[in-house]
Amino acid sequence: MAARSGGLAAAPFDLGFGRIRLPPLLWMPSCARAGAGRGGVGRVVRCCCPAEKAEDCWLEPKKKGGTRRARAEALPSLPFPSTRSKRLSKQQDFSSRCSPKSSAPESRDTPPKRDTGIASEKEWGINLLDEMVNEFGTNEDGSTWYREDGEELGDNGYRCRWARMGGKSHDGSSEWKETWWEKSDWTGYKELGAEKSGKNADGDSWWETWKEVLYQDEWSNLARIERSAQKQAKSGTENAGWYEKWWEKYDAKGWTEKGAHKYGRLNEQSWWEKWGEHYDGRGFVLKWTDKWAETELGTRWGDKWEEKFFAGIGSRQGETWHVSPTGERWSRTWGEEHLGNGKVHKYGKSTTGESWDIVVDEETYYEAEPHYGWADVVGDSTQLLSIQPQERPPGVYPNLDFGTSEPRKDDPPVEPLK
C-alpha cells in the first residue's frame, strides 16, 4: 500500500512533529586549522573558513492544540560551515587523501552534520593501499602530519587492513585523526569502516564513526547487511553539543529494521528523539517516534506515536503533552483502529475535557515495504562486497561461529579527542 503514515523514513529526517519543535542545529565555529596541506612537505597551507550565520536555535511548545495527529514539519538541517568541502570536488578530495608518498594527507577539518543519517561508501571515499606506508612530515608553519597503513591476520582466516592519518597545528590547538579499515574471515564475514575525530583552536571538538557489515544470520542462514553511524560534536565556547546514533539492518528476504537515537543541548535547553521502523518481509510493519524536550526552568513537552499494520488492518495511537515549571500537566491522547473494510474507528481525549469516539469511512494508507530495502543496500555496498578474504588452504575449513554485527575487539579506531 502507498505510504502516508507520518513515519520518519527518508533522510533528511524531519525534526518537527506535533506540538514539539526541536532546534534545527547547534551551530559552532567551523574550521579546524590543522595546517596539514595537500601539496606535501614544505608547503605553507592557509586554512580560513569565514563564519557563516545560522538560524537561532530555540525550543518553544505550541500554545494551541491542533488535530490529534500532525504532519511532520521539515526544518532546515544546517551544516557546520566549511569552505573546504565547497571548493574541492569529491574526486579532488579523494585524490588528495590518497596521494603518493612524501605528500601530506588532506586536513579533515569537517565536523559531522546533524540529521544526515548514514553516509554511503562513496561519501567516505575509503581507499586502502596494497603497499605498507609509514610516513610523517612537518610543514613550514610548524604543523605536522602522519600516515600509516597496516595489516593484521588472525584465526579462522581473519584479516584486517587499515590506514591511519592525521595532523595538528604547531601549538596543538587544532588536530584531526582518521582511520579506515576493512575486515574479513573464512565464514564470509566482511566489514568496512571509518572513524574520524578533530578539534579546533576555539575548543570545538567532534567525533564520527561509520561501518557496514555483511554476515550470515545464525538462525535463518540468510545473508544480512547492517549499516551504522555515530556522530557527536561539542562547542568549546558554550554549553552546547549533540549526539546521534543511526542503524539499518537488512536480510535477503526483506526483513528490515531502522532506527535512530538523538540528543542535543544548547545552554539551558535540551532535547531528545528516538524513532524506529520494523518490516518483517511478509507484510507486517511497525513504526514509532518519541520526542521530548525540557528547559532548566522546568518546562517540558513532547510528542510520541506508534503504528502497526498488516494486510490493511492495524492501528495508530499517540500522545502530545506539556508540563509547566509548576508541575501543571496538559496532554492529548488519540487513536485509530483501521478495520480493513473502509471503516476507521477514531477516539481520543485531553486533560482539558476534549473527547471523541467516532467511526468514519476512510481509506487506510501505510508503508508495507521500506522505501530503501535489500536490493538497494546491496547495490550501494559494492566496496563491502568486493572485500577479498585470505585464501583458504586446501583441507582447511572455517569455524562456523557465524559472523556478528557486534564490533570486533581488535578494531583499530581513533580515540575521540578530549
Side-chain angles (χ1 to χ4, degrees):
M1 292 188 178
R4 202 169 67 188
S5 64
L8 303 181
F13 293 95
D14 295 325
L15 293 178
F17 195 93
R19 293 176 59 84
I20 182 172
R21 173 165 178 142
L22 304 182
L25 176 77
L26 287 176
W27 179 81
M28 301 178 191
S30 61
C31 186
R33 300 173 178 82
R38 290 178 294 148
V41 180
R43 278 199 171 188
V44 177
V45 177
R46 296 178 176 84
C47 179
C48 52
C49 296
E52 297 178 8
K53 293 184 178 179
E55 295 183 3
D56 292 337
C57 299
W58 55 273
L59 292 169
E60 178 179 303
K62 297 181 180 178
K63 297 180 180 179
K64 295 184 179 180
T67 59
R68 68 204 175 287
R69 191 167 122 260
R71 291 227 177 264
E73 177 186 1
L75 297 178
S77 180
L78 304 177
F80 286 82
S82 173
T83 57
R84 188 188 69 85
S85 59
K86 296 177 182 178
R87 69 175 180 264
L88 286 179
S89 69
K90 288 186 177 180
Q91 183 59 41
Q92 287 174 315
D93 182 53
F94 174 83
S95 300
S96 65
R97 289 185 284 132
C98 304
S99 51
K101 288 186 177 182
S102 299
S103 177
E106 171 71 14
S107 174
R108 304 291 281 161
D109 61 357
T110 52
K113 300 176 183 178
R114 287 190 57 221
D115 279 291
T116 52
I118 303 174
S120 67
E121 291 180 349
K122 292 182 179 179
E123 288 176 288
W124 273 98
I126 297 173
N127 183 47
L128 297 170
L129 305 177
D130 291 330
E131 59 182 349
M132 297 298 102
V133 173
N134 187 354
E135 54 189 3
F136 55 90
T138 302
N139 298 303
E140 281 189 5
D141 62 357
S143 60
T144 59
W145 60 269
Y146 68 90
R147 179 174 53 210
E148 58 180 339
D149 296 74
E151 181 178 83
E152 299 172 6
L153 305 178
D155 297 336
N156 209 31
Y158 171 74
R159 182 190 189 195
C160 175
R161 300 174 61 219
W162 54 267
R164 296 188 183 100
M165 63 195 79
K168 62 181 178 180
S169 59
H170 71 283
D171 60 358
S173 61
S174 299
E175 185 175 359
W176 66 275
K177 298 180 181 180
E178 184 161 355
T179 300
W180 300 335
W181 68 86
E182 66 174 36
K183 301 178 183 180
S184 60
D185 63 27
W186 291 336
T187 69
Y189 179 91
K190 297 183 179 183
E191 177 182 319
L192 185 68
E195 184 169 0
K196 71 176 182 179
S197 62
K199 65 178 182 179
N200 62 23
D202 295 317
D204 305 325
S205 60
W206 55 88
W207 168 80
E208 180 176 7
T209 185
W210 172 90
K211 182 172 67 174
E212 57 183 12
V213 173
L214 168 70
Y215 69 101
Q216 184 179 0
D217 181 66
E218 181 177 358
W219 302 106
S220 66
N221 289 332
L222 293 173
R224 278 197 177 186
I225 293 179
E226 299 187 1
R227 306 170 66 231
S228 61
Q230 294 186 68
K231 312 173 188 183
Q232 69 180 36
K234 183 178 180 181
S235 171
T237 58
E238 57 185 341
N239 186 14
W242 58 268
Y243 169 82
E244 295 179 352
K245 179 180 180 180
W246 300 75
W247 66 90
E248 299 174 357
K249 303 178 182 181
Y250 308 86
D251 81 9
K253 282 196 173 180
W255 178 91
T256 303
E257 180 181 296
K258 304 180 182 183
H261 289 177
K262 309 176 189 179
Y263 164 77
R265 181 175 181 86
L266 178 60
N267 297 322
E268 74 281 359
Q269 301 168 335
S270 302
W271 63 95
W272 296 259
E273 178 184 354
K274 296 182 179 181
W275 65 265
E277 299 179 2
H278 176 81
Y279 304 83
D280 72 350
R282 299 185 295 271
F284 172 80
V285 57
L286 165 66
K287 292 185 178 182
W288 62 273
T289 295
D290 191 2
K291 302 181 181 183
W292 66 102
E294 65 181 30
T295 70
E296 290 184 351
L297 296 178
T299 302
R300 294 180 289 137
W301 62 99
D303 184 278
K304 60 183 178 181
W305 59 265
E306 176 188 87
E307 68 174 35
K308 299 178 182 179
F309 282 95
F310 178 73
I313 300 174
S315 64
R316 292 189 177 104
Q317 59 185 6
E319 179 185 15
T320 301
W321 56 272
H322 176 269
V323 179
S324 71
T326 60
E328 182 181 0
R329 180 180 175 85
W330 173 90
S331 71
R332 175 186 286 121
T333 58
W334 59 267
E336 297 179 354
E337 294 178 342
H338 293 253
L339 308 177
N341 57 1
K343 303 288 186 180
V344 180
H345 176 210
K346 300 186 177 185
Y347 57 92
K349 62 181 180 179
S350 75
T351 54
T352 56
E354 298 173 286
S355 66
W356 61 95
D357 192 334
I358 58 175
V359 176
V360 299
D361 295 321
E362 186 174 291
E363 283 189 84
T364 296
Y365 294 92
Y366 68 99
E367 290 179 334
E369 298 179 354
H371 76 284
Y372 184 96
W374 174 255
D376 302 294
V377 73
V378 169
D380 290 337
S381 302
T382 54
Q383 189 172 354
L384 172 69
L385 300 177
S386 66
I387 294 175
Q388 295 298 316
Q390 290 189 71
E391 184 175 351
R392 183 162 53 87
V396 176
Y397 300 96
N399 174 15
L400 296 178
D401 188 18
F402 295 101
T404 174
S405 60
E406 295 299 320
R408 304 184 76 122
K409 300 300 183 183
D410 46 9
D411 276 353
V414 177
E415 290 296 328
L417 295 168
K418 303 298 183 183

